[in-house]
Amino acid sequence: MANILPPDEGPSGSSTGPAVAAVVGGTHGLGLQLGRRARLAGLRTVVYGRSAGQLKDDPDLEPRSLDLTDPASIAACDVVLPRPVYVFWVAGAFLKKSLVHTTDEELEGLTRLLLTGPVRFLRRVLSDAPGPLHLITIASSSSWRRREHETLYCALKAAQAHFTRTLVAELVEAHPDNRVTLVNPGGLAVPEFHTGMEIDYGTMMDPDEVARIIWRTVTEQRAPFAEVQILRSREPGREGVPIVSFGPRAPEEP
Ligand SMILES: NC(=O)c1ccc[n+]([C@@H]2O[C@H](COP(=O)([O-])OP(=O)(O)OC[C@H]3O[C@@H](n4cnc5c(N)ncnc54)[C@H](OP(=O)(O)O)[C@@H]3O)[C@@H](O)[C@H]2O)c1
């Protein structure tokens, strides 16, 4: 199978890197692009999601059904993954609502999807074998940006990001080759994510291009931890072009 990435940019199934990738939330959007790139580079690729069984266009992706909002689904799903392995934490959904209009169901559902569900799932994966494992967390620039009517979403993305940073010491203690990459992307051209919103997708980043940047970052990483910001250009004529920088960002003032 052809490798669509230049040799220095792609994931590899060689003895130096994982031959397996698992994408939690790999059925649509950015997660699907990350999974496709893994598969095209020859990695065995497992994708988790509620609609995993419907991935008819990608027969080479190995589907595993998982609903992160349902503790029983997390407890029952198959978490056996050969080591070394890349594990992408991508699953998510957006909520643009002021707090007073947010229902109990939305509060509970989004918290399960963006934080407690993946944390439970990850605990199972990590308990199954000590490593080597490379965790790649897709948080968001919303973890540090000032936003309006996105209180819950931003708070959960900030929690996801700091959970990931804090986990590094434990992971390295469990296995010296464990690695963690924290990615904070800006707006992506994924209409399903922004359902019901009027957005000019010509000014958003191409999820496949962002997936390429993420794979390059991940495969070049040697240190136990890296944090990367992938933000969209707003410069006239270059709208939506990804701008990559490394290191954390201080939260913006309210
Ligand atoms: N789009 C953006 O502008 C943007 C910007 C910054 C960060 N992000 C982050 O990037 C990540 C991916 O977003 P995207 O734009 O690719 O969104 P997307 O196309 O809507 O994909 C969301 C993924 O999450 C999975 N998912 C949703 N609910 C789930 C559940 N209950 N259990 C298990 N999996 C579930 C979906 O799979 P199923 O439907 O099959 O369950 C799907 O694979 C999210 O974490 C998001 O916060 C997005």
Side-chain angles (χ1 to χ4, degrees):
M1 192 177 285
N3 186 342
I4 58 168
L5 300 175
D8 65 334
E9 294 192 359
S12 93
S14 72
S15 59
T16 55
V20 183
V23 188
V24 184
T27 53
H28 303 288
L30 179 61
L32 180 58
Q33 298 305 329
L34 288 164
R36 283 179 175 157
R37 284 192 171 266
R39 192 61 206 112
L40 284 165
L43 276 71
R44 178 182 164 195
T45 305
V46 177
V47 292
Y48 290 93
R50 293 164 304 175
S51 63
Q54 295 161 26
L55 278 172
K56 298 195 173 37
D57 292 343
D58 296 276
D60 290 337
L61 297 177
E62 194 176 310
R64 291 189 186 173
S65 185
L66 170 67
D67 183 349
L68 288 164
T69 66
D70 177 5
S73 169
I74 298 166
C77 84
D78 183 355
V79 295
V80 176
L81 297 164
R83 301 316 197 248
V85 62
Y86 293 112
V87 176
F88 289 84
W89 173 3
V90 193
F94 188 48
L95 184 68
K96 192 167 186 78
K97 257 189 181 183
S98 57
L99 187 59
V100 292
H101 293 119
T102 303
T103 65
D104 280 353
E105 290 72 24
E106 288 167 333
L107 177 55
E108 182 63 27
L110 200 64
T111 303
R112 286 185 180 201
L113 171 58
L114 294 182
L115 189 63
T116 52
V119 168
R120 279 173 194 262
F121 174 84
L122 205 53
R123 191 176 56 180
R124 280 201 65 210
V125 171
L126 295 174
S127 304
D128 187 61
L133 176 146
H134 189 150
L135 172 68
I136 303 100
T137 297
I138 308 301
S140 173
S141 57
S142 294
S143 65
W144 53 266
R145 284 265 198 225
R146 177 193 175 277
R147 305 280 197 208
E148 290 184 3
H149 305 298
E150 296 181 24
T151 326
L152 182 60
Y153 178 76
C154 290
L156 291 168
K157 281 290 164 182
Q160 179 192 21
H162 204 52
F163 173 91
T164 299
R165 293 185 198 99
T166 311
L167 190 64
V168 175
E170 278 178 47
L171 285 184
V172 174
E173 190 180 73
H175 195 293
D177 293 335
N178 281 343
R179 296 285 177 268
V180 178
T181 310
L182 172 58
V183 184
N184 289 316
L188 304 167
V190 179
E192 298 78 13
F193 185 77
H194 303 97
T195 307
M197 298 177 68
E198 284 197 16
I199 285 177
D200 176 2
Y201 289 103
T203 67
M204 310 288 265
M205 295 185 291
D206 173 9
D208 185 43
E209 171 66 3
V210 171
R212 186 188 68 80
I213 293 167
I214 292 170
W215 268 117
R216 178 177 183 163
T217 303
V218 164
T219 51
E220 288 182 352
Q221 181 177 331
R222 296 293 170 263
F225 175 69
E227 179 165 350
V228 59
Q229 317 289 335
I230 307 177
L231 306 178
R232 61 186 166 121
S233 169
R234 294 172 192 256
E235 192 187 317
R238 289 179 51 80
E239 293 96 342
V241 173
I243 301 170
V244 181
S245 61
F246 287 85
R249 293 292 185 97
E252 291 180 346
E253 292 285 329

